[in-house]
Amino acid sequence: MKNKLISVSLPTIKRLPTYLNVLEELKVEGKTTVSATDIAKRLSLIPIQVRKDLSATGIVGKPKIGFEIEELGKAIKALLGWENDRDAFLIGAGALGSALLGYNGFEQHGLKILAAFDSNPDICDTEIHGKRVFPMEKLRDLIERMKVSIIILTLPAEFAQEVVNKLIGTGIKGIWNFSPVTLDVPKEIIVQNENLASGLAVLSTKLTERNNG
Amino acid sequence: MKNKLISVSLPTIKRLPTYLNVLEELKVEGKTTVSATDIAKRLSLIPIQVRKDLSATGIVGKPKIGFEIEELGKAIKALLGWENDRDAFLIGAGALGSALLGYNGFEQHGLKILAAFDSNPDICDTEIHGKRVFPMEKLRDLIERMKVSIIILTLPAEFAQEVVNKLIGTGIKGIWNFSPVTLDVPKEIIVQNENLASGLAVLSTKLTERNNG
DNA sequence: TAGATTGTTAATCGATTAACAATC
DNA sequence: TAGATTGTTAATCGATTAACAATC
């Protein structure tokens, strides 16, 4: 069981959500089955890669027909752990934090942002996109009382570590880190670093190559 | 020359911005040189990987001392094409788009967002984080007049392709795409897809593994 | 000097891609 | 049936990691 899950490669996991998007499109179009070839076409991938990725779900397709869209979608969600909601708090309700509070797509992905926290008294006890903003002082207490397991961290780099220190021992299991720093956490807490600059680096490098090439 | 640039691997390019962050920290601390070992420590990487990545810049370090921080920083920026500003427009001033308008870090990375565009008349001709929001009708004309080469696309999936079609032939060279769809563009336009769901997929998969393992 | 750190070449590892028999 | 598509096993490709001589 454990081995099964761990054996799915990271690149595959990152592609799986895009397959889910395609499946949603296909449902809207009234389709009930889809081939790896079709999915590949819509995502500009090669069919072999899609087939290999989908094989990680354990779902078997039918030659000449493909996969049951409904069944495949459920299997991908199960593999990603997106079947059940996880409760999350967001820390740092600045520009990026506010944007994430307003993005409804996360709930489809099993992530439910219950509330936000910020040290700025001007926005404390207000609501942003319908989500309450609490002062930092209430963070530990509310995490424990509400048994929140995920933190979305959208703080300026210089404050990130100090706030993360407060999270240790609260039962937090994962941190989705948008602050551009490497966090120092005990190994039982999983950190997923998100770095917009990486994507920009790829784009601008390619543009530079194109110009000079 | 061309080969030199193309030979830098994508994973390396994605890591380079994090090295820049470390260099900035070190400058603040008053350091003038740094070893690959130190950089690795701060980023929880292994020294060999850092050394290999840095070798792509062409900068040579001194045994026992390391690299000149100033020189290394400039070389990384040059490699990433972050030396000169590129002008960009942002299309879709919703929650995420507004957040990106408010993020000042991009200018350090050679990306200058001049203005935003949105189809919602309520926000047209207003300013968001000091950036003017124009109606869509003015998009083509302004791209051409201001010779903008990069588009940041933060539209809902269903409108993305139709807007991208309007960009073709305007001189746009790159699209930084935050809309969760695969864009169909002529091959001279470079698209960099940004997908928040991928990061969330990795985090939740790891959390699921941890629970079951 | 001694030893930490470098750059480079080689080995390992893992992901992608190809080949192909099975089958609806 | 014929052929498109599947799942699996093997080959290729590329990135990471290791080994090591050079050197400040």
Side-chain angles (χ1 to χ4, degrees):
Chain A
M1 202 67 210
K2 186 183 170 190
N3 293 331
K4 171 80 179 307
L5 285 163
I6 288 176
S7 71
V8 180
S9 78
L10 233 54
T12 294
I13 289 168
K14 288 183 182 169
R15 281 188 297 268
L16 288 174
T18 64
Y19 300 156
L20 271 182
N21 290 342
V22 171
L23 296 182
E24 288 303 321
E25 282 175 28
L26 289 163
K27 272 191 215 169
V28 171
E29 293 168 20
K31 309 265 171 54
T32 58
T33 61
V34 66
S35 70
T37 315
D38 285 345
I39 295 177
K41 216 167 278 166
R42 291 187 185 229
L43 294 168
S44 303
L45 299 174
I46 61 174
I48 278 181
Q49 184 163 56
V50 176
R51 247 187 299 153
K52 192 72 187 293
D53 286 342
L54 295 185
S55 75
T57 63
I59 300 299
V60 294
K62 287 199 180 69
K64 180 107 174 151
I65 290 163
F67 301 83
E68 286 276 341
I69 291 175
E70 197 62 36
E71 187 189 18
L72 187 58
K74 280 191 181 143
I76 292 175
K77 284 189 179 168
L79 188 58
L80 295 177
W82 286 0
E83 277 179 316
N84 306 312
D85 270 2
R86 288 179 209 271
D87 290 336
F89 281 161
L90 181 144
I91 307 180
L96 181 60
S98 301
L100 297 183
L101 288 175
Y103 181 57
N104 296 314
F106 294 143
E107 302 218 357
Q108 289 179 327
H109 302 345
L111 189 73
K112 197 171 174 189
I113 308 179
L114 299 180
F117 292 82
D118 202 286
S119 59
N120 178 357
D122 293 349
I123 61 171
C124 285
D125 301 312
T126 66
E127 286 195 350
I128 297 178
H129 296 298
K131 305 266 162 70
R132 184 74 179 275
V133 182
F134 291 101
M136 283 299 198
E137 293 77 44
K138 296 201 172 156
L139 180 60
R140 275 192 72 106
D141 183 45
L142 283 171
I143 288 174
E144 284 164 10
R145 271 167 50 198
M146 301 183 77
K147 300 198 193 315
V148 166
S149 63
I150 295 185
I151 293 294
I152 302 172
L153 200 70
T154 45
L155 285 167
E158 56 269 39
F159 306 126
Q161 182 64 53
E162 122 194 29
V163 170
V164 164
N165 292 342
K166 292 186 197 162
L167 301 173
I168 294 165
T170 55
I172 284 297
K173 296 199 170 74
I175 299 175
W176 197 10
N177 177 33
F178 288 80
S179 306
V181 284
T182 303
L183 300 175
D184 186 20
V185 296
K187 61 182 177 314
E188 61 269 22
I189 295 180
I190 294 168
V191 176
Q192 172 65 22
N193 292 306
E194 215 59 54
N195 189 352
L196 287 182
S198 288
L200 182 55
V202 173
L203 178 62
S204 58
T205 305
K206 284 182 181 169
L207 287 168
T208 306
E209 279 172 15
R210 183 70 51 108
N211 281 347
N212 299 352
Chain B
M1 201 66 211
K2 185 182 169 190
N3 293 331
K4 171 80 180 307
L5 285 163
I6 287 176
S7 71
V8 180
S9 78
L10 233 53
T12 294
I13 290 168
K14 289 184 180 168
R15 280 188 298 268
L16 288 174
T18 65
Y19 300 157
L20 271 182
N21 290 342
V22 171
L23 297 182
E24 288 303 321
E25 281 174 29
L26 290 163
K27 272 190 216 171
V28 170
E29 293 168 20
K31 309 267 171 54
T32 58
T33 61
V34 66
S35 70
T37 315
D38 286 345
I39 295 177
K41 216 167 277 169
R42 292 186 185 230
L43 295 168
S44 302
L45 298 174
I46 61 174
I48 279 182
Q49 184 163 57
V50 176
R51 246 187 300 153
K52 192 74 186 291
D53 286 342
L54 295 185
S55 76
T57 64
I59 299 300
V60 295
K62 286 200 181 68
K64 181 110 169 132
I65 290 164
F67 302 83
E68 285 276 341
I69 291 175
E70 197 62 37
E71 188 189 17
L72 186 57
K74 279 190 182 144
I76 293 176
K77 283 189 179 168
L79 189 57
L80 296 177
W82 286 1
E83 277 178 316
N84 306 312
D85 270 2
R86 288 178 209 272
D87 290 336
F89 281 162
L90 181 144
I91 307 179
L96 181 60
S98 300
L100 297 183
L101 287 175
Y103 181 58
N104 295 314
F106 295 143
E107 303 218 357
Q108 290 180 327
H109 303 345
L111 189 73
K112 198 172 173 188
I113 308 179
L114 300 179
F117 292 81
D118 202 286
S119 59
N120 178 357
D122 292 349
I123 61 171
C124 284
D125 301 313
T126 67
E127 285 195 352
I128 297 179
H129 295 298
K131 305 267 162 68
R132 184 73 180 273
V133 182
F134 291 102
M136 284 297 199
E137 293 76 45
K138 297 200 172 159
L139 180 60
R140 276 192 71 106
D141 183 44
L142 283 171
I143 288 174
E144 283 163 12
R145 272 167 48 197
M146 301 182 77
K147 300 197 193 315
V148 167
S149 62
I150 295 185
I151 292 295
I152 302 172
L153 200 69
T154 44
L155 284 167
E158 56 268 39
F159 306 126
Q161 182 63 54
E162 121 194 31
V163 169
V164 164
N165 292 342
K166 292 186 198 163
L167 301 172
I168 295 165
T170 55
I172 284 297
K173 295 200 171 74
I175 299 175
W176 198 8
N177 177 34
F178 289 80
S179 306
V181 283
T182 303
L183 300 175
D184 186 21
V185 296
K187 61 182 177 312
E188 61 270 20
I189 295 180
I190 294 169
V191 176
Q192 172 65 22
N193 293 305
E194 215 59 54
N195 189 353
L196 287 183
S198 288
L200 182 54
V202 173
L203 178 62
S204 57
T205 305
K206 284 182 180 168
L207 287 169
T208 307
E209 279 172 16
R210 183 69 51 107
N211 281 347
N212 299 353

